[in-house]
PDB file of all heavy atoms in Angstrom:
ATOM      1  N   LEU B  78      -7.254  54.324  73.714  1.00  0.00           N
ATOM      2  CA  LEU B  78      -6.984  54.447  72.287  1.00  0.00           C
ATOM      3  C   LEU B  78      -5.883  55.490  72.175  1.00  0.00           C
ATOM      4  O   LEU B  78      -6.088  56.657  72.496  1.00  0.00           O
ATOM      5  CB  LEU B  78      -8.227  54.896  71.524  1.00  0.00           C
ATOM      6  CG  LEU B  78      -9.380  53.910  71.376  1.00  0.00           C
ATOM      7  CD1 LEU B  78     -10.056  53.595  72.711  1.00  0.00           C
ATOM      8  CD2 LEU B  78     -10.405  54.432  70.381  1.00  0.00           C
ATOM      9  N   GLU B  79      -4.706  55.069  71.788  1.00  0.00           N
ATOM     10  CA  GLU B  79      -3.549  55.962  71.846  1.00  0.00           C
ATOM     11  C   GLU B  79      -3.630  57.072  70.801  1.00  0.00           C
ATOM     12  O   GLU B  79      -3.225  58.207  71.058  1.00  0.00           O
ATOM     13  CB  GLU B  79      -2.269  55.164  71.683  1.00  0.00           C
ATOM     14  CG  GLU B  79      -2.018  54.227  72.871  1.00  0.00           C
ATOM     15  CD  GLU B  79      -0.636  53.638  72.849  1.00  0.00           C
ATOM     16  OE1 GLU B  79      -0.327  52.974  71.834  1.00  0.00           O
ATOM     17  OE2 GLU B  79       0.113  53.815  73.817  1.00  0.00           O
ATOM     18  N   SER B  80      -4.152  56.771  69.641  1.00  0.00           N
ATOM     19  CA  SER B  80      -4.310  57.749  68.572  1.00  0.00           C
ATOM     20  C   SER B  80      -5.576  57.353  67.809  1.00  0.00           C
ATOM     21  O   SER B  80      -5.527  56.534  66.889  1.00  0.00           O
ATOM     22  CB  SER B  80      -3.094  57.753  67.661  1.00  0.00           C
ATOM     23  OG  SER B  80      -3.264  58.679  66.618  1.00  0.00           O
ATOM     24  N   ALA B  81      -6.686  57.923  68.229  1.00  0.00           N
ATOM     25  CA  ALA B  81      -7.983  57.458  67.730  1.00  0.00           C
ATOM     26  C   ALA B  81      -8.115  57.611  66.210  1.00  0.00           C
ATOM     27  O   ALA B  81      -7.651  58.607  65.621  1.00  0.00           O
ATOM     28  CB  ALA B  81      -9.107  58.202  68.433  1.00  0.00           C
ATOM     29  N   THR B  82      -8.765  56.636  65.610  1.00  0.00           N
ATOM     30  CA  THR B  82      -9.064  56.674  64.179  1.00  0.00           C
ATOM     31  C   THR B  82     -10.573  56.527  63.980  1.00  0.00           C
ATOM     32  O   THR B  82     -11.276  56.030  64.871  1.00  0.00           O
ATOM     33  CB  THR B  82      -8.354  55.536  63.425  1.00  0.00           C
ATOM     34  OG1 THR B  82      -8.880  54.285  63.873  1.00  0.00           O
ATOM     35  CG2 THR B  82      -6.852  55.573  63.659  1.00  0.00           C
ATOM     36  N   ARG B  83     -11.068  56.935  62.835  1.00  0.00           N
ATOM     37  CA  ARG B  83     -12.512  56.854  62.573  1.00  0.00           C
ATOM     38  C   ARG B  83     -13.009  55.408  62.645  1.00  0.00           C
ATOM     39  O   ARG B  83     -14.157  55.173  63.024  1.00  0.00           O
ATOM     40  CB  ARG B  83     -12.842  57.476  61.221  1.00  0.00           C
ATOM     41  CG  ARG B  83     -12.711  58.981  61.211  1.00  0.00           C
ATOM     42  CD  ARG B  83     -13.411  59.584  60.013  1.00  0.00           C
ATOM     43  NE  ARG B  83     -13.248  61.032  59.992  1.00  0.00           N
ATOM     44  CZ  ARG B  83     -12.279  61.666  59.334  1.00  0.00           C
ATOM     45  NH1 ARG B  83     -11.392  60.983  58.625  1.00  0.00           N
ATOM     46  NH2 ARG B  83     -12.198  62.981  59.368  1.00  0.00           N
ATOM     47  N   SER B  84     -12.154  54.475  62.294  1.00  0.00           N
ATOM     48  CA  SER B  84     -12.568  53.066  62.333  1.00  0.00           C
ATOM     49  C   SER B  84     -12.796  52.565  63.756  1.00  0.00           C
ATOM     50  O   SER B  84     -13.338  51.465  63.949  1.00  0.00           O
ATOM     51  CB  SER B  84     -11.530  52.185  61.638  1.00  0.00           C
ATOM     52  OG  SER B  84     -10.309  52.206  62.352  1.00  0.00           O
ATOM     53  N   GLN B  85     -12.383  53.358  64.733  1.00  0.00           N
ATOM     54  CA  GLN B  85     -12.612  52.991  66.123  1.00  0.00           C
ATOM     55  C   GLN B  85     -13.913  53.565  66.671  1.00  0.00           C
ATOM     56  O   GLN B  85     -14.232  53.369  67.853  1.00  0.00           O
ATOM     57  CB  GLN B  85     -11.423  53.413  66.990  1.00  0.00           C
ATOM     58  CG  GLN B  85     -10.166  52.623  66.668  1.00  0.00           C
ATOM     59  CD  GLN B  85      -8.953  53.073  67.456  1.00  0.00           C
ATOM     60  OE1 GLN B  85      -8.646  54.270  67.511  1.00  0.00           O
ATOM     61  NE2 GLN B  85      -8.258  52.133  68.068  1.00  0.00           N
ATOM     62  N   THR B  86     -14.667  54.241  65.836  1.00  0.00           N
ATOM     63  CA  THR B  86     -16.015  54.645  66.216  1.00  0.00           C
ATOM     64  C   THR B  86     -16.834  53.379  66.445  1.00  0.00           C
ATOM     65  O   THR B  86     -16.926  52.520  65.564  1.00  0.00           O
ATOM     66  CB  THR B  86     -16.656  55.500  65.107  1.00  0.00           C
ATOM     67  OG1 THR B  86     -15.969  56.747  65.047  1.00  0.00           O
ATOM     68  CG2 THR B  86     -18.137  55.740  65.378  1.00  0.00           C
ATOM     69  N   SER B  87     -17.409  53.264  67.637  1.00  0.00           N
ATOM     70  CA  SER B  87     -18.068  52.016  67.996  1.00  0.00           C
ATOM     71  C   SER B  87     -18.748  52.175  69.349  1.00  0.00           C
ATOM     72  O   SER B  87     -18.631  53.206  70.008  1.00  0.00           O
ATOM     73  CB  SER B  87     -17.029  50.888  68.075  1.00  0.00           C
ATOM     74  OG  SER B  87     -17.637  49.614  68.257  1.00  0.00           O
ATOM     75  N   VAL B  88     -19.439  51.134  69.770  1.00  0.00           N
ATOM     76  CA  VAL B  88     -19.916  51.024  71.142  1.00  0.00           C
ATOM     77  C   VAL B  88     -19.003  50.023  71.849  1.00  0.00           C
ATOM     78  O   VAL B  88     -18.798  48.909  71.362  1.00  0.00           O
ATOM     79  CB  VAL B  88     -21.381  50.554  71.216  1.00  0.00           C
ATOM     80  CG1 VAL B  88     -21.820  50.428  72.665  1.00  0.00           C
ATOM     81  CG2 VAL B  88     -22.284  51.526  70.457  1.00  0.00           C
ATOM     82  N   TYR B  89     -18.473  50.446  72.988  1.00  0.00           N
ATOM     83  CA  TYR B  89     -17.531  49.619  73.727  1.00  0.00           C
ATOM     84  C   TYR B  89     -18.183  49.105  75.004  1.00  0.00           C
ATOM     85  O   TYR B  89     -18.756  49.873  75.774  1.00  0.00           O
ATOM     86  CB  TYR B  89     -16.281  50.432  74.073  1.00  0.00           C
ATOM     87  CG  TYR B  89     -15.457  50.759  72.859  1.00  0.00           C
ATOM     88  CD1 TYR B  89     -15.749  51.875  72.068  1.00  0.00           C
ATOM     89  CD2 TYR B  89     -14.401  49.940  72.474  1.00  0.00           C
ATOM     90  CE1 TYR B  89     -15.014  52.162  70.930  1.00  0.00           C
ATOM     91  CE2 TYR B  89     -13.653  50.228  71.339  1.00  0.00           C
ATOM     92  CZ  TYR B  89     -13.964  51.335  70.576  1.00  0.00           C
ATOM     93  OH  TYR B  89     -13.223  51.618  69.458  1.00  0.00           O
ATOM     94  N   PHE B  90     -18.073  47.796  75.208  1.00  0.00           N
ATOM     95  CA  PHE B  90     -18.620  47.181  76.407  1.00  0.00           C
ATOM     96  C   PHE B  90     -17.498  46.560  77.228  1.00  0.00           C
ATOM     97  O   PHE B  90     -16.648  45.853  76.701  1.00  0.00           O
ATOM     98  CB  PHE B  90     -19.620  46.071  76.042  1.00  0.00           C
ATOM     99  CG  PHE B  90     -20.943  46.577  75.552  1.00  0.00           C
ATOM    100  CD1 PHE B  90     -21.236  46.601  74.195  1.00  0.00           C
ATOM    101  CD2 PHE B  90     -21.901  47.026  76.443  1.00  0.00           C
ATOM    102  CE1 PHE B  90     -22.456  47.066  73.737  1.00  0.00           C
ATOM    103  CE2 PHE B  90     -23.133  47.488  76.005  1.00  0.00           C
ATOM    104  CZ  PHE B  90     -23.404  47.513  74.651  1.00  0.00           C
TER     105      PHE B  90
END
Side-chain angles (χ1 to χ4, degrees):
Chain B
L78 289 67
E79 293 191 302
S80 179
T82 65
R83 289 196 182 93
S84 65
Q85 293 177 310
T86 291
S87 187
V88 179
Y89 291 85
F90 285 101

